[in-house]
Amino acid sequence: MISSRIAAGIDYTHREDGDLCRRSECVAFATIPLGFRTNNRTNFFDYTLDANVAATYALTPALRATTTVGLQYFQSLFDRNGASASDLPPNATTVSSGAIPSVSESSDESKTLGAFIEQQFALRQRLFVTAALRRDDNSAFGADFSAVYYPKLGVSYVISEESFFPRPAWLNNLRLRGALGASGTQPNVTDAIRFFTPTTASVDAVDRGAIVFSAIGNPTLKPERATELELGFDASALRNRLSVDFTYYRKRTRDALIARIVAPSAGAATTRFENLGSVQNTGIEMLLSAQVLDRPTFGWDLTLTAATNHNKILELGVPPIIGTTVQQREGFPIDGWWQRPYTYSDANGNGIIEASEIVVEDSAAYIGPSIPTREITVITGFDLFRRRFRVTGLFDHKGGRYQLNGTERIRCESRLNCDGLVDPTASFERQARVVALRETAARTQYGFIERADFWRFRELAITYNMPPGMARMMRANSGTVTLAARNLFLSSDYTGLDPESAYFSGNTGIQSDFQTAPPPTFWTLRVNFGF
Amino acid sequence: MTPTTRRPATRRLVPAVALAALGLLSPLGCSTELLEVEDPDILLDANSPAGAVALRNGVVLRLAQAVTGTQGPDALFVYGGLLTDEWRSGDTFVQRNNQDQRIWDPQNTFNAGPFRALNRIRVEAQRAIASLRQWVPQPDSTFLIGQMYALTAYSMVLIGEHYCNGTPLSEVQGTAVVFGDPLSNDSLFALAVVFADSALLNTRGRDSARTRQLAAVVTGRALLDRGRANLPAAAAAVAAVATTFRFDVSHALNVNQNQIWGLNNSAKRYTMVDVEGGVGMNYMTANDPRLPRATGTSTANDLIFDSAFPLFVTRQGIWARTTSVAIASGIEARLIEAEAQLQAGNTTPWLTAINTLRTTTANYPAVQTGFTRGPTLTALAQPATTAAREDVMFRERAFWMFGSGHRLGDMRRLIRATASGGYGRTEAQVYPTGNFFKGGVYGDAIQLSIPQDEANNPNFTQCTDRLP
């Protein structure tokens, strides 16, 4: 049997961003009271072509095969025109009315052309073997790099169906699976290109066209290539009331795309993307679902998902990449936190940690990873009163991650109102981190990079299923009312407001806490009717 | 179904699948053309006469961004001025507060901006020189090449004056970064003299006189920085510079607004300061006509940005939103000559030079709207001691060249050992000390640290030393 499929499409999005501050109606800071108007118009086009042909045939009565070849083409185009003006006349609201107008234009385009061939064999609908090869070429690859090939091999075996398998009565199904495959991450559109940027310069008080050097480029830039091994099983038991999915993975990424800091003495861009060394991620992923109680009037179900991830730079290929608080070094996690550690003691016994009572080490030491090493989610639901009501709770845990408590750091260093600084009864630990930051030559932020583990009661929801008669009053077939609350409770030793106060900074987007609001607690009431 | 009935069907499928595969995969052969994209935001080269001139204009923009521009982080003139007695941080940003407090901190994230920007002048100027030589007819436009050499030299002087010993100068060749080795401040000054010499060799054409005078002042400044023994040579270098000469960084509303105005007058993140740390110049109470200023009185509009320390901002009155800033001038040339006279013991000609500048009101900067100028300066009497004459010398430089990136180099020269060509003052006599107004005490930084990002240069570890 031959089947084919061709899908082509265009996704188009138009966005307008406007900002208006009438004269004398906005905050009294700098030139803002003079008023400003911004009007930016952006178009996003995504073209997609996906075509494949599959042939399914039997090689023997027990062995069936499917061969698929396919072609995929993606084109993404972004263009934006921006106009803004400041110093508006009273009551004016248009860009053209501003005394200081400015315009901007930008666009980005990327294209990917890929093709694949996949061969699948199915033996007695129990053993499935899939092999595939994919070739990708992308407009963002460096000039010295052509295309990338991604092979894949997967095996899935429903072993519980075999006669030799000693299946106990409580086990319904057991599937073993394994996969080895490669995938890639493309560079961004201009990451490989050495280029200049046109702009305007004031030359001898006259605005003139100018060209500045913007990006060093990297002609050998190629996609980050990941090879992943997955081993696991899916099982169901106890009349399918309990199911377990378990996966172990080991993902090795080589030619990792890393924004390498360019030494400022080079007088060039701040960073340049390079394919550096290799990174390994290992961990497990597990899903456990259980229908603990299943009665006509009462039910209790439980779902637990858990995942671990341990990330390590196996090889960097260049000297360590050193940022202010983050470094890339072989043998350590990517984007790990590094600072100069210190020890302290209240040597004079006055209850106050002083600079002379702190010893800072000479060089930075590794503190911990910036991304979680484990994540757990627990969802539990209760069906009550003949299943008229359902109560669900969702609990989240993230652990193993460290976070820079930038809010507290700025309070201690600049605002001078943190407890470690102003409260003489503050713990020595709190005092020491302030003194180490403010009064030692190292100015180390070591004490503010904290473990950010937490458990959060993420959601509580109570749903009332309306009786059919009640729904019919609304001329509906069914109806539900749900009252839900998000972010009800947090348990954490993190000393900031919330370990999920997310502030992203720098090229890597490492999460830190810097004067950002925690996730709010909020309530929703939702009424649904089905017609 | 039996195998014998299935096999022929399978065989029939093979060519069909192969044909489909060929059809689908055939575009891959021409993927290079198919994947070509155009990005109008960028230029891949500037290979034309107009491109070469645009590259030169780009260097002028980089210069403005490095010293007084609004793009990017704080530029050198204001950020370096925090470390001196010129500016006080009116801000909440700890980076500015620490700099004002003289905290030595290579991790200060504001450090990298001006350092990178200064090196951009140098690196992009060399690229512009190559392009001008290739594309622009000579000798009429030679002055453009000379200007690029002079600005390269100027950037080296600024790096040498502001940063510690051990500063690398790296390059970009094609797409490769060629990392530089650590250089002493004195090596940078010597290099600056060489590049300024190259500028002087390329001064034919329309704007040659201005380029020649810029190179001369940069040469004199670099020699001044190399020690007092070089003062005669420095004076000789600037002798032909007209007192009215000035080389400006210009600003425009849509291009590059004046950052001194932006951060001080408008945003109030910087404020002028009087006698900072007990030893700074009395820039405010002196009521000097060279430094018009006004201290605010409105609690609604005139408090510094940091509301935790509600001080009234003192705004400078030299520069408005688009006022140009002189980076080299004939006044600087006359001050170099005067210092040479002082060094030679010619105290009368020295004082004459100082007083001639002081009493010529045409030398005073224009006063911006809303500010008033102090009374015209009078001639000074001859100070009684050498130390007092030196005080006058550096005070005059501080007031004539306020906010233009000269003060930190002068403060370092003052505390440099006499054996090393300095004036042998102590750090406490020159740099602010004692209690910092936002808490704590002043630190011990006497220059800017090389930013931590430079550790990504394998040839660099840290400052060779922190000597003045």
Short mmCIF file of all heavy atoms in Angstrom, two decimals, chain A residues 15 20 43 70 105 112 123-124 127 146 182 212 226 232 235 267-268 270 311 344 349 351 406 442 444 454 460-461 510:
data_model
loop_
_atom_site.label_atom_id
_atom_site.label_comp_id
_atom_site.label_asym_id
_atom_site.label_seq_id
_atom_site.Cartn_x
_atom_site.Cartn_y
_atom_site.Cartn_z
N ARG A 15 1.43 42.18 13.95
CA ARG A 15 1.38 42.70 15.32
C ARG A 15 1.65 44.20 15.32
O ARG A 15 2.55 44.66 14.62
CB ARG A 15 2.43 42.00 16.17
CG ARG A 15 2.24 42.20 17.66
CD ARG A 15 3.27 41.44 18.45
NE ARG A 15 4.53 42.15 18.50
CZ ARG A 15 5.70 41.60 18.83
NH1 ARG A 15 5.75 40.31 19.08
NH2 ARG A 15 6.79 42.31 18.87
N LEU A 20 1.89 55.29 24.10
CA LEU A 20 1.61 56.73 24.05
C LEU A 20 1.72 57.32 25.44
O LEU A 20 1.17 56.79 26.41
CB LEU A 20 0.18 56.97 23.52
CG LEU A 20 -0.31 58.42 23.60
CD1 LEU A 20 0.53 59.34 22.71
CD2 LEU A 20 -1.79 58.50 23.22
N ASN A 43 5.43 42.05 10.90
CA ASN A 43 4.82 40.92 10.18
C ASN A 43 5.65 39.67 10.41
O ASN A 43 6.88 39.72 10.39
CB ASN A 43 4.78 41.21 8.67
CG ASN A 43 3.85 42.35 8.34
OD1 ASN A 43 2.72 42.38 8.80
ND2 ASN A 43 4.34 43.30 7.56
N GLY A 70 10.60 11.55 2.83
CA GLY A 70 9.91 12.81 3.01
C GLY A 70 10.82 14.00 2.78
O GLY A 70 12.06 13.89 2.79
N GLU A 105 13.94 49.97 11.05
CA GLU A 105 13.47 48.87 10.22
C GLU A 105 14.36 47.67 10.49
O GLU A 105 15.58 47.81 10.60
CB GLU A 105 13.56 49.25 8.73
CG GLU A 105 13.15 48.11 7.81
CD GLU A 105 13.37 48.47 6.34
OE1 GLU A 105 13.73 49.62 6.04
OE2 GLU A 105 13.20 47.57 5.50
N THR A 112 15.11 26.39 6.08
CA THR A 112 15.62 25.05 6.36
C THR A 112 15.05 24.09 5.32
O THR A 112 13.85 24.12 5.04
CB THR A 112 15.20 24.57 7.76
OG1 THR A 112 15.68 25.49 8.73
CG2 THR A 112 15.76 23.18 8.07
N LEU A 123 7.51 -7.05 13.50
CA LEU A 123 7.48 -8.52 13.55
C LEU A 123 6.37 -8.95 14.49
O LEU A 123 6.41 -8.69 15.69
CB LEU A 123 8.85 -9.04 14.04
CG LEU A 123 8.99 -10.55 14.14
CD1 LEU A 123 8.87 -11.18 12.75
CD2 LEU A 123 10.33 -10.93 14.78
N ARG A 124 5.37 -9.56 13.91
CA ARG A 124 4.21 -10.09 14.64
C ARG A 124 3.59 -9.02 15.56
O ARG A 124 3.05 -9.30 16.61
CB ARG A 124 4.61 -11.31 15.48
CG ARG A 124 5.12 -12.49 14.62
CD ARG A 124 5.08 -13.81 15.37
NE ARG A 124 5.61 -13.74 16.69
CZ ARG A 124 6.89 -13.88 17.01
NH1 ARG A 124 7.77 -14.11 16.05
NH2 ARG A 124 7.28 -13.82 18.26
N LEU A 127 7.48 -6.80 17.93
CA LEU A 127 8.81 -6.20 17.85
C LEU A 127 8.82 -5.19 16.71
O LEU A 127 8.55 -5.53 15.56
CB LEU A 127 9.87 -7.29 17.62
CG LEU A 127 11.31 -6.80 17.47
CD1 LEU A 127 11.79 -6.14 18.76
CD2 LEU A 127 12.23 -7.93 17.06
N SER A 146 28.25 22.56 5.02
CA SER A 146 27.19 22.34 4.03
C SER A 146 25.90 21.86 4.68
O SER A 146 24.95 22.62 4.86
CB SER A 146 27.66 21.35 2.98
OG SER A 146 28.06 20.14 3.59
N ALA A 182 20.07 11.00 16.56
CA ALA A 182 20.77 12.28 16.55
C ALA A 182 19.79 13.38 16.17
O ALA A 182 18.83 13.15 15.43
CB ALA A 182 21.93 12.25 15.56
N VAL A 212 29.39 50.53 10.87
CA VAL A 212 30.20 50.05 12.00
C VAL A 212 30.31 48.53 11.91
O VAL A 212 29.43 47.85 11.39
CB VAL A 212 29.61 50.46 13.36
CG1 VAL A 212 29.68 51.96 13.55
CG2 VAL A 212 28.18 49.96 13.52
N ALA A 226 23.24 16.63 18.74
CA ALA A 226 23.00 15.84 19.95
C ALA A 226 22.77 14.39 19.57
O ALA A 226 22.04 14.10 18.62
CB ALA A 226 21.78 16.38 20.68
N GLY A 232 13.99 2.32 28.15
CA GLY A 232 12.89 2.42 29.11
C GLY A 232 11.84 1.35 28.91
O GLY A 232 12.02 0.41 28.12
N ALA A 235 4.57 0.03 31.33
CA ALA A 235 3.90 -1.12 31.92
C ALA A 235 2.56 -0.70 32.47
O ALA A 235 2.37 0.45 32.93
CB ALA A 235 4.76 -1.73 33.03
N GLY A 267 37.82 44.86 20.72
CA GLY A 267 37.06 45.95 20.13
C GLY A 267 36.00 45.46 19.18
O GLY A 267 35.79 46.05 18.10
N ALA A 268 35.33 44.41 19.54
CA ALA A 268 34.33 43.81 18.65
C ALA A 268 33.07 43.53 19.44
O ALA A 268 32.88 44.04 20.54
CB ALA A 268 34.89 42.55 18.02
N THR A 270 30.23 41.72 21.75
CA THR A 270 30.38 41.19 23.10
C THR A 270 30.59 39.68 23.09
O THR A 270 31.37 39.14 23.86
CB THR A 270 29.12 41.51 23.93
OG1 THR A 270 28.82 42.88 23.74
CG2 THR A 270 29.35 41.24 25.39
N ASN A 311 23.86 17.73 34.14
CA ASN A 311 24.43 18.38 32.98
C ASN A 311 25.92 18.60 33.23
O ASN A 311 26.30 19.02 34.32
CB ASN A 311 23.66 19.71 32.82
CG ASN A 311 24.23 20.59 31.78
OD1 ASN A 311 25.30 21.15 31.94
ND2 ASN A 311 23.51 20.71 30.69
N TYR A 344 34.00 32.61 57.73
CA TYR A 344 33.87 33.72 58.68
C TYR A 344 33.78 33.17 60.09
O TYR A 344 33.41 32.01 60.30
CB TYR A 344 32.63 34.56 58.37
CG TYR A 344 31.34 33.77 58.42
CD1 TYR A 344 30.61 33.64 59.61
CD2 TYR A 344 30.85 33.13 57.28
CE1 TYR A 344 29.44 32.90 59.65
CE2 TYR A 344 29.69 32.38 57.32
CZ TYR A 344 28.99 32.27 58.50
OH TYR A 344 27.85 31.53 58.54
N GLY A 349 34.01 38.08 69.24
CA GLY A 349 32.86 37.75 70.06
C GLY A 349 31.88 38.88 70.28
O GLY A 349 31.08 38.84 71.23
N GLY A 351 29.44 39.69 68.36
CA GLY A 351 28.15 39.42 67.73
C GLY A 351 27.99 40.05 66.36
O GLY A 351 26.93 39.95 65.74
N GLY A 406 19.51 38.32 43.61
CA GLY A 406 19.93 39.67 43.24
C GLY A 406 19.16 40.76 43.96
O GLY A 406 19.67 41.85 44.18
N ALA A 442 37.41 41.39 47.38
CA ALA A 442 36.87 40.46 46.39
C ALA A 442 35.48 40.85 45.93
O ALA A 442 35.06 40.50 44.83
CB ALA A 442 36.84 39.05 46.96
N THR A 444 32.78 39.64 46.72
CA THR A 444 32.19 38.38 46.27
C THR A 444 30.69 38.31 46.54
O THR A 444 30.20 38.73 47.61
CB THR A 444 32.91 37.20 46.92
OG1 THR A 444 32.28 35.99 46.49
CG2 THR A 444 32.89 37.27 48.44
N PHE A 454 12.37 24.10 46.08
CA PHE A 454 11.06 24.45 46.64
C PHE A 454 10.04 23.37 46.34
O PHE A 454 10.18 22.57 45.42
CB PHE A 454 10.57 25.79 46.07
CG PHE A 454 10.17 25.74 44.62
CD1 PHE A 454 8.88 25.39 44.24
CD2 PHE A 454 11.08 26.05 43.62
CE1 PHE A 454 8.51 25.34 42.91
CE2 PHE A 454 10.73 26.00 42.29
CZ PHE A 454 9.44 25.64 41.93
N LEU A 460 -5.18 24.24 43.28
CA LEU A 460 -6.30 23.53 43.89
C LEU A 460 -7.54 23.87 43.06
O LEU A 460 -7.81 25.05 42.81
CB LEU A 460 -6.51 23.98 45.33
CG LEU A 460 -7.77 23.46 46.01
CD1 LEU A 460 -7.68 21.95 46.23
CD2 LEU A 460 -8.01 24.16 47.35
N ALA A 461 -8.25 22.85 42.63
CA ALA A 461 -9.45 23.10 41.82
C ALA A 461 -10.59 22.25 42.33
O ALA A 461 -10.41 21.06 42.64
CB ALA A 461 -9.17 22.80 40.35
N ILE A 510 20.09 33.09 31.92
CA ILE A 510 20.11 32.38 33.20
C ILE A 510 19.15 33.07 34.16
O ILE A 510 19.16 34.28 34.31
CB ILE A 510 21.52 32.38 33.78
CG1 ILE A 510 22.45 31.65 32.83
CG2 ILE A 510 21.55 31.74 35.15
CD1 ILE A 510 23.89 31.96 33.08
#
